[in-house]
Amino acid sequence: MTKKIAVLPGDGIGPEIVAEAIRVLEFLNADMGLDLSFENGLIGGAGYDAHSTPLPEQTLSLCKQADAVLLGAVGGPKWEPLEHAVRPERGLLGIRSELQLFSNLRPAILYPQLADASTLKPDVVSGLDLMIVRELTGGIYFGQPRGVRALKNGEKQGFNTLVYSESEIRRIAHSAFLTAQKRNKKVCSVDKANVLECTELWREVMDEVAKGYPDVMLSHMYVDNAAMQLVRAPKQFDVMVTTNMFGDILSDTAAMLTGSIGMLPSASLDEQGKGMYEPIHGSAPDIAGKNLANPLATILSVAMMLRYTFGEAIAADRIEKAVDTALDTGVRTSDIHSEGMQKVSTAQMGDAVINALKG
Ligand code: NAD
């Protein structure tokens, strides 16, 4: 059956990096008969310019009908004066909630060739490959009641609510265990069960769900220790699953272990495994239109798409291996360039990956 991909290049460097990822997919489509089809839509500033909204109706219905969405990036100075409701970033939040993408997968992978890019010692991070599974649509960022109220003594008081139902915990737990089954079969659940009742329940439900995955090893860690372990010995982790807020913080720490923003992909999945795939970086207005951007995060995002939405592990492995081979040849876009390496453009990096795929 045809696998429909909605392609939303967005703004800034978005169109340039997405073009390279599509070239990679088109190559594999022809080479392996993957039966992929592509349809473009507008989002962010591009959506606003054409339809006065960052998430045009046509784009939303295109994404709803698609099996997966590939997004470049949104935003830029041109749209900053706009009121919040129509800012490009609203398009992104809108699509995440419309598609109910509750499970955010953010890998932190450090290619040994780029170990110098990290602020940590090369032996601590070289070969790092961990996956953070962050709950994306619940927890303290959405819990009610919330707000700022006036107390009787005249003082103001701010408050938010950390709330998770069993079903919300269960579905993110399944997402983490299924992810681990495709990797090294270890899940570390991060909570603060010693202080927060809500995460005591989180721990209970994780233990219960784990019984259905006897091939996966589950461990638990308090979030303060997890933050410390991430910078002390990050290679101990395979999959880390956690709440919305803890995941927000820990995934940025994990990303920075690799030191290279142009290398990191992400996936946000719904309950059926349909997903939106995007690099973690933004639209980089400072280098947009100059053929300078690193397309590897977007290329690695389509590898995740093939693995997690389409179950095409061989094709995903091929892309990841081709990126590795391309880096071995010494080509580097300027964000990951170091002395002695060959500086290349966005399109040349795409060429290097396709040449590696051709073998
Ligand atoms: P950014 O990630 O766009 O850029 C930060 C720095 O990293 C810049 O120097 C940029 O040149 C560089 N960089 C980013 N991606 C790169 C790549 N692929 N190759 C080489 N260099 C790269 O973050 P920012 O500057 O804070 O934000 C710029 C715009 O992007 C803003 O409008 C912001 O709202 C938006 N943004 C969008 C997303 C998204 O679409 N998911 C995420 C973050 C920021």
Side-chain angles (χ1 to χ4, degrees):
M1 218 170 68
T2 302
K3 304 171 178 81
K4 288 195 246 170
I5 303 172
V7 181
L8 314 180
D11 310 317
I13 59 170
E16 298 164 68
I17 52 177
V18 165
E20 298 310 314
I22 294 295
R23 280 176 65 207
V24 167
L25 280 180
E26 277 173 343
F27 173 83
L28 286 177
N29 203 17
D31 197 51
M32 300 175 74
L34 296 176
D35 205 3
L36 307 175
S37 77
F38 308 96
E39 198 171 332
N40 275 46
L42 297 172
I43 193 164
Y48 179 82
D49 287 349
H51 302 285
S52 309
T53 162
L55 183 54
E57 204 47 55
Q58 304 86 311
T59 301
L60 188 55
S61 85
L62 172 72
C63 294
K64 284 186 172 164
Q65 283 160 29
D67 302 304
V69 180
L70 172 63
L71 180 100
V74 298
K78 178 179 173 191
W79 301 282
E80 269 163 24
L82 294 176
E83 59 177 283
H84 276 276
V86 290
R87 288 256 186 97
E89 293 76 7
R90 280 300 177 100
L92 203 53
L93 295 180
I95 202 149
R96 284 178 183 154
S97 75
E98 285 284 342
L99 298 181
Q100 296 180 31
L101 305 172
F102 72 94
S103 173
N104 184 217
L105 271 52
R106 280 179 64 166
I109 300 163
L110 181 63
Y111 289 85
Q113 303 92 321
L114 303 179
D116 286 345
S118 177
T119 49
L120 271 71
K121 289 189 203 129
D123 62 305
V124 175
V125 287
S126 183
L128 175 73
D129 181 357
L130 79 88
M131 176 75 81
I132 299 210
V133 178
R134 166 189 171 195
E135 201 290 325
L136 201 60
T137 54
I140 198 165
Y141 290 179
F142 292 91
Q144 295 289 348
R146 61 191 295 159
V148 178
R149 61 191 160 206
L151 298 178
K152 283 196 180 116
N153 65 4
E155 195 184 10
K156 282 198 277 188
Q157 184 184 57
F159 58 102
N160 289 88
T161 306
L162 172 61
V163 54
Y164 272 115
S165 62
E166 285 179 278
S167 59
E168 282 178 302
I169 304 169
R170 203 169 287 125
R171 68 180 184 176
I172 194 70
H174 282 295
S175 193
F177 285 106
L178 290 169
T179 303
Q181 280 184 326
K182 297 184 178 118
R183 295 173 45 96
N184 293 327
K185 302 188 171 54
K186 284 196 318 183
V187 170
C188 176
S189 170
V190 175
D191 60 40
K192 191 72 184 167
N194 51 342
V195 178
L196 301 171
E197 289 82 352
C198 180
T199 66
E200 222 178 297
L201 177 68
W202 176 279
R203 193 175 274 224
E204 257 174 59
V205 176
M206 285 289 157
D207 282 332
E208 175 201 309
V209 174
K211 292 183 188 138
Y213 299 86
D215 54 331
V216 179
M217 200 181 90
L218 171 69
S219 61
H220 301 280
M221 198 177 271
Y222 297 137
V223 64
D224 40 351
N225 187 24
M228 189 175 80
Q229 295 300 331
L230 262 183
V231 288
R232 193 188 72 85
K235 284 191 268 185
Q236 69 185 283
F237 298 110
D238 177 25
V239 172
M240 189 182 256
V241 60
T242 190
T243 64
N244 201 343
M245 184 163 78
F246 294 163
D248 191 3
I249 299 164
L250 294 178
S251 66
D252 270 23
T253 307
M256 281 326 293
L257 296 177
T258 75
S260 48
I261 197 167
M263 294 293 301
L264 296 176
S266 78
S268 305
L269 304 175
D270 76 0
E271 264 174 285
Q272 282 71 45
K274 174 171 170 171
M276 184 161 85
Y277 297 84
E278 54 181 314
I280 69 155
H281 59 72
S283 60
D286 50 334
I287 55 168
K290 296 182 180 162
N291 200 16
L292 286 176
N294 185 348
L296 293 180
T298 319
I299 290 172
L300 291 166
S301 298
V302 299
M304 290 187 81
M305 177 191 288
L306 291 169
R307 189 182 306 282
Y308 292 106
T309 291
F310 297 134
E312 297 282 0
I314 295 173
D317 285 346
R318 280 186 70 185
I319 296 179
E320 285 159 3
K321 183 136 198 324
V323 168
D324 199 35
T325 307
L327 291 173
D328 274 343
T329 66
V331 291
R332 302 282 189 272
T333 42
S334 40
D335 58 311
I336 51 172
H337 185 258
S338 59
E339 217 180 301
M341 297 294 141
Q342 184 195 347
K343 203 178 263 191
V344 295
S345 67
T346 309
Q348 285 169 326
M349 186 58 102
D351 291 343
V353 174
I354 289 171
N355 285 336
L357 282 171
K358 286 179 183 161

